[in-house]
Structures are given as C-alpha cells and as structure tokens.
Amino acid sequence: QVQLVESGGGLVQPGGSLRLSCAASGFSVNDYAIGWLRQAPGKEREGISCISSRGGGTTTAGRFTISKNGAKNTVYLQINNLKPEDTAVYYCTARKYACLGYGSIYDSRGRGTQVTVSS
C-alpha cells in the first residue's frame, strides 16, 4: 500500500527557510515520480515541484529545490526566502510514471503539513 507522510512544516518568519520531508512506504521513490503541491485557504491547489523516478527535478520557482534520498526512501522540498503567500498546507504526491503538473496530477497523496509564514 502506497503511503506518504509529510513532516517539517511549522511557523517561520518571512525570509526564512524550511525543509519539508516526505517519507514513503509501500513502494520505492526510485520507481515513482514524487511531487509537492500546496493549497492555501480559499485557493486552488498548486503544483510546486516534482522529481522523476530517475532523479530529474522540475520546479515552478527558484526558491524551491526538490531532492530525494533513495536509501531513506524520502523526498525533500527545500523552500528558501519564504513569503507570507507561501502559507498553505503542503502535500506530497506520488505518480507511477512521469511528473505531470509539477506534482499536481498524482495517484496518491499524503495528509499534508502546514506551513505558516508570518512575523
């Protein structure tokens, strides 16, 4: 059974950084495309970044960096220079084949981790 568990969210001041983690179980992150999307209250979900099974990453902005550790079966999303508009629930997603929509098109999704950017 495919499971994704996000962690690393929290309250951070503008300009700060966070590293979100997505721990996968039931499958290998080297066999799936793993992505990150976010959803803010009242807004549509937004794909942010995706890393393919082979390790190639795509991202919507330079502030986001996606990476993975196959040995830990974990994918990470580094977010730098956080802004208040980054406040959202961040979800990890998995798709059997290639990345689509920067992670917003998926087969499975985790429960999310809250990121709040505020001074």
Side-chain angles (χ1 to χ4, degrees):
Q1 182 180 0
V2 172
Q3 285 194 324
L4 302 162
V5 179
E6 303 92 336
S7 62
L11 174 64
V12 64
Q13 292 187 343
S17 298
L18 277 177
R19 189 178 78 157
L20 307 182
S21 298
C22 171
S25 60
F27 71 103
S28 171
V29 297
N30 292 326
D31 293 331
Y32 279 66
I34 307 297
W36 288 91
L37 64 84
R38 66 185 181 185
Q39 188 158 23
K43 295 186 178 180
E44 293 190 359
R45 68 184 187 187
E46 175 190 13
I48 299 169
S49 190
C50 187
I51 187 165
S52 72
S53 58
R54 296 183 180 181
T58 59
T59 183
T60 57
R63 296 188 297 116
F64 304 116
T65 304
I66 192 168
S67 62
K68 66 178 175 180
N69 184 324
K72 294 185 177 182
N73 216 30
T74 299
V75 173
Y76 305 97
L77 182 71
Q78 177 74 32
I79 313 174
N80 296 325
N81 190 24
L82 280 155
K83 304 175 181 181
E85 52 263 41
D86 292 321
T87 296
V89 179
Y90 285 70
Y91 299 92
C92 176
T93 66
R95 188 172 186 269
K96 179 57 176 172
Y97 302 106
C99 292
L100 278 180
Y102 296 102
S104 64
I105 300 172
Y106 55 88
D107 300 322
S108 301
R109 192 192 76 179
R111 294 188 175 184
T113 185
Q114 175 71 46
V115 172
T116 302
V117 184
S118 175
S119 56

